[in-house]
Amino acid sequence: MKSWLVIGQYLPGNSFIHRLDPRTKLIIIFSFVCVLFFANHWTGYLLFTTFTIVSIVLSKVSVPFLLKGITPVWFFIVLTFFLHILITKEGEILWELGWFQVYEAGLQRSIEISWRLLILVVFTSLLTLTTAPMEITDALESLLGPLKRWNLPIHELALMMSISLRFIPTLMDETERISKAQASRGVDLKSGTLKDRMYAFIPLLIPLFIGAFKRAEDLATAMEVRGYQGGEGRTKLRALQFSNLDIIAAIGYVIVLILFIYIRQ
Amino acid sequence: MIKFQDVSFRYRDTDAWVIDSLNLTIKENQKVAIIGKNGSGKSTIAKLISGLLLHELGHIYVENDQLTPENLLDIRKKIGMVFQNPENQFVGMTVKEDIAFGLENRGVKREVMLEKIVDILEQVSMLEYIDREPQHLSGGQKQRIAIASAMVLEPKILILDEATSMLDPVGRKEMMSLVETLHNRKPFTLLMITHELNEAILADRIIVIEKGKVVLDGTPRELFTHHNHALDELGFPAPYTIQLAKGLEKNGFSLEPFPLDQEELISALWKLHLKR
C-alpha cells in the first residue's frame, strides 16, 4: 500500500501506552492539554517535559519517527516563535537589527509558547500513534454517551465515523482505478499549472462521488436486512475494559498534577 | 414457505408494472432459482420478500405470516440476504466485526456472539481469516463472509441476489458448493436470483421470470427436456453438457436418465457404451 494511503499514523504495538484503555488516554490527553496552558514558570515546563518524555519512552515509539510525524506542524511552531518575538516588547533589548529588536521578555515568551505547542503536538500524536482510529471512535462514543440524554446522536456519529474509516481503503482503491482509467483516456493529473491540475481532478471526482453514493445505498440495504434499527437495544462486540494499567496511568498523572499545583504555589 | 398472491409492484411515479400480478409458492427448504434477463423483475422479487420494497397489490406470505409494513421487521428476521457487490455489504472493520453486526443488532450477549462467530466461520472454512480486514480478502472470500454474516442469524430463508455475478468462475463454483454444503447440513429455503443457467441447475426448481411474470416453472430436468426451445428463445441457451446430450439424442443415442451436469453425462455415456 502506498504511504499516503495510510490514514492516521497508528503503529500497532504492545507497549504500556498501547495497552491503556483509549478512554484513559483521551481523558489524560485532553486534561493535560488544558493544564499545559497554566504553566508559568520554568519548573512547570520541566515537569511537563519530563512527563512527555516518560510517556514517549513508555510508548516505545521511536523519537525520529515521532518527530517526522509532526513535520507539518514545525512551520507553525517556528511561526509562533517569531510572532511572539516581534510582538512582545518588554525588558532589555538583547539584539537589534534596524527596526527589528529582540527583547528579553520576548525571547522568553516565545520559547515558552513554542515549547508548549511542541509538547501539545507530541502528546496528541502519541495518542494517534498508539491508538487505532476505531478505538478512538469507541472511546468517544463511550465518553460522550451521557449526552444521549439530551438527544444528541452520539451512537449515529460513532457509526458514521467507523463506516467512514471502513470505507477509506475502498475509496482509495477506487480513486486509483478511476485515475488510471482517466489517464488512459488522456487526462493528465501530474503536470500543468495548479489550475489545470484542479480542473483535471473533476473527471476523477465525479465518478468517485457517484460510486460512493451507490455504495452507500447498497450498504444501507445490507445493514437494514441484517436488522439494524439504530443504537437502541444493541450489544457491542468490541468492549472497552479498564484494567490495572489504567489505574497506574491515572495515579501517575494525578501525581504530576499535584506536583504542578505545588510548584505553582 | 414463501407465497405470492396476485402481487403487483411498480416504482413510484411510473406506470409500468415491474411485477405483474405474480402468483408463486415456494415450499419450505426448497432450493429455487429465479432466472431472468436484466430488467425482468427477478431482483425485485427478492426485495419484495424482504420488504425492502413494498408491493402495491396482492399479498405476500412469509412463513405463513402476511407481510405488512407493521410486521416487516419481524419478517426480516427470518430472511438472510447476500447481494451482488462483495465490497458494499461488508459493514465491519474486520471479518469478526462484520459477522457480529447482525448479532449486535439483535442484542446478543458478547460471549454468545464470539461463540457463534467462531462456529459460523468454521462452517464456511474462513476461521483463519477472523481478524482480517476486507481489503485483504478476495471477492470470493468476502462473499463467503457475507453468507456467514447472513447465516449466523439462523434465517429460515436465504436469498442470494445475484451474489456470484461479480466473482470469477472458481469463486462462483466455490460459493455454490458452500451453499450446497450448508443446505445439506441444516436445511433452509434457498432462493437464488441469477442470470446464470449453470447455477440454476443446482436448484430443485427453476422459475423463469419475464416482464414481471412467471413464464416457465419446473425442475431443471423438466425444463431442459421439455422446454429447451422456450428457454433458448428467452435468451437462456442450454449449458454445453445439455446441448451435447440433446445432440446425441437427435442422432439416435438416447441417454438415460437425461444428464444435467458433466458427471451425469459421463456415467450416462458409460452406460451407453457398456450396452453396446
Side-chain angles (χ1 to χ4, degrees):
Chain A
M1 217 188 260
K2 283 183 183 162
S3 59
W4 60 271
L5 281 185
V6 181
I7 298 301
Q9 12 172 3
Y10 175 55
L11 275 180
N14 203 22
S15 73
F16 176 78
I17 307 277
H18 278 92
R19 278 182 293 158
L20 284 180
D21 189 291
R23 286 171 295 183
T24 314
K25 288 190 252 188
L26 271 180
I27 294 170
I28 290 183
I29 285 167
F30 188 72
S31 76
F32 183 68
V33 165
C34 298
V35 173
L36 200 57
F37 285 90
F38 289 99
N40 56 357
H41 192 249
W42 68 268
T43 44
Y45 286 100
L46 186 69
L47 178 71
F48 289 150
T49 309
T50 321
F51 183 58
T52 309
I53 291 171
V54 169
S55 307
I56 295 172
V57 171
L58 284 176
S59 73
K60 291 183 182 162
V61 172
S62 84
V63 178
F65 189 86
L66 186 64
L67 293 179
K68 214 183 106 195
I70 61 175
T71 25
V73 197
W74 278 116
F75 171 74
F76 288 100
I77 295 176
V78 173
L79 186 79
T80 321
F81 184 84
F82 283 109
L83 222 61
H84 277 277
I85 280 195
L86 275 176
I87 291 168
T88 321
K89 295 184 192 293
E90 278 167 49
E92 275 177 57
I93 295 178
L94 294 178
W95 191 65
E96 206 170 353
L97 186 89
W99 57 270
F100 182 66
Q101 297 153 324
V102 177
Y103 290 84
E104 193 192 347
L107 186 65
Q108 197 192 336
R109 234 186 125 60
S110 34
I111 291 174
E112 278 180 10
I113 300 278
S114 22
W115 192 247
R116 218 181 254 177
L117 208 60
L118 185 67
I119 293 183
L120 193 150
V121 172
V122 166
F123 226 85
T124 40
S125 54
L126 212 53
L127 172 77
T128 50
L129 282 167
T130 62
T131 322
M134 214 53 211
E135 281 186 294
I136 299 179
T137 309
D138 285 346
L140 281 174
E141 183 177 4
S142 167
L143 290 173
L144 299 178
L147 296 180
K148 279 181 204 160
R149 226 178 294 161
W150 291 287
N151 286 332
L152 283 170
I154 302 299
H155 163 77
E156 285 74 10
L157 283 174
L159 185 81
M160 270 163 61
M161 257 169 88
S162 65
I163 287 178
S164 319
L165 288 169
R166 144 78 185 89
F167 273 92
I168 285 170
T170 309
L171 292 179
M172 288 288 188
D173 280 352
E174 187 146 297
T175 313
E176 205 169 306
R177 216 173 30 245
I178 297 169
S179 71
K180 272 181 190 155
Q182 300 291 28
S184 74
R185 291 175 178 82
V187 174
D188 185 3
L189 291 170
K190 291 199 174 84
S191 57
T193 62
L194 187 66
K195 201 179 147 201
D196 286 343
R197 271 186 284 169
M198 273 165 70
Y199 273 112
F201 263 104
I202 295 174
L204 204 152
L205 283 179
I206 289 173
L208 189 66
F209 267 89
I210 293 171
F213 278 117
K214 171 89 183 92
R215 279 181 202 286
E217 200 185 328
D218 283 0
L219 186 74
T221 310
M223 286 169 69
E224 209 177 327
V225 167
R226 282 201 252 160
Y228 180 73
Q229 297 165 52
E232 204 85 349
R234 245 180 139 244
T235 44
K236 294 203 81 179
L237 177 73
R238 287 193 314 268
L240 295 174
Q241 192 92 54
F242 286 118
S243 67
N244 289 337
L245 295 181
D246 297 289
I247 298 171
I248 297 170
I251 292 172
Y253 180 61
V254 168
I255 291 173
V256 170
L257 285 185
I258 292 170
L259 277 174
F260 177 64
I261 293 167
Y262 180 74
I263 288 170
R264 252 183 81 94
Q265 284 168 351
Chain B
M1 205 256 331
I2 303 167
K3 194 171 170 190
F4 276 57
Q5 218 170 55
D6 292 317
V7 173
S8 295
F9 170 83
R10 61 185 162 188
Y11 285 98
R12 232 190 298 167
D13 306 324
T14 56
D15 291 330
W17 295 103
V18 181
I19 297 296
D20 193 359
S21 46
L22 185 76
N23 282 295
L24 195 62
T25 308
I26 293 166
K27 283 194 219 114
E28 202 165 321
N29 299 340
Q30 215 176 23
K31 288 187 284 182
V32 178
I34 296 185
I35 64 173
K37 292 270 136 199
N38 284 340
S40 58
K42 60 184 191 302
S43 272
T44 310
I45 293 179
K47 295 204 169 84
L48 288 172
I49 296 170
S50 53
L52 290 168
L53 295 173
L54 290 174
H55 55 284
E56 197 174 316
L57 301 171
H59 307 285
I60 297 176
Y61 299 88
V62 177
E63 302 287 316
N64 295 321
D65 289 325
Q66 191 180 341
L67 180 87
T68 59
E70 290 76 43
N71 69 357
L72 196 138
L73 293 171
D74 290 320
I75 293 221
R76 229 175 249 167
K77 281 185 184 162
K78 298 171 185 164
I79 302 170
M81 278 180 96
V82 177
F83 300 95
Q84 187 173 21
N85 192 325
E87 192 69 48
N88 297 359
Q89 46 190 316
F90 208 105
V91 187
M93 287 291 273
T94 61
V95 166
K96 184 167 47 174
E97 284 171 23
D98 187 58
I99 296 176
F101 182 76
L103 297 167
E104 290 176 327
N105 290 337
R106 296 206 182 164
V108 176
K109 278 209 192 84
R110 191 166 176 273
E111 307 80 60
V112 183
M113 230 191 280
L114 284 167
E115 269 171 42
K116 287 195 173 201
I117 291 169
V118 170
D119 181 56
I120 198 77
L121 280 176
E122 241 164 17
Q123 289 192 43
V124 301
S125 1
M126 290 284 290
L127 190 55
E128 57 197 292
Y129 298 94
I130 186 163
D131 286 315
R132 288 285 182 96
E133 284 118 20
Q135 63 267 34
H136 299 132
L137 296 174
S138 71
Q141 288 171 328
K142 270 179 237 176
Q143 286 304 65
R144 276 173 173 257
I145 299 304
I147 291 181
S149 297
M151 294 310 289
V152 78
L153 300 170
E154 293 164 21
K156 291 231 157 74
I157 301 161
L158 178 68
I159 303 176
L160 305 180
D161 188 358
E162 304 205 44
T164 59
S165 63
M166 287 178 79
L167 303 183
D168 56 28
V170 179
R172 243 174 232 195
K173 223 175 185 168
E174 279 177 2
M175 188 157 162
M176 291 324 293
S177 76
L178 171 69
V179 172
E180 190 91 34
T181 318
L182 289 174
H183 191 273
N184 288 342
R185 201 171 295 156
K186 195 179 167 217
F188 47 87
T189 310
L190 176 67
L191 207 61
M192 299 185 271
I193 315 282
T194 176
H195 51 243
E196 280 288 320
L197 208 48
N198 280 320
E199 276 165 25
I201 290 175
L202 301 172
D204 305 326
R205 175 178 170 198
I206 298 178
I207 298 168
V208 187
I209 299 284
E210 169 108 334
K211 289 180 186 148
K213 279 183 183 298
V214 176
V215 283
L216 282 175
D217 184 353
T219 65
R221 206 171 293 277
E222 280 167 10
L223 289 196
F224 289 127
T225 42
H226 304 306
H227 302 283
N228 216 359
H229 281 294
L231 270 176
D232 214 19
E233 273 164 24
L234 287 164
F236 293 100
Y240 177 70
T241 332
I242 286 158
Q243 285 184 22
L244 183 67
K246 283 268 168 191
L248 284 168
E249 220 163 46
K250 212 182 264 175
N251 287 298
F253 301 98
S254 78
L255 301 174
E256 281 299 325
F258 189 78
L260 286 181
D261 59 23
Q262 217 165 340
E263 266 167 52
E264 285 181 19
L265 176 71
I266 291 168
S267 79
L269 283 174
W270 272 116
K271 236 184 244 170
L272 195 71
H273 178 72
L274 290 172
K275 254 189 229 164
R276 308 217 145 205

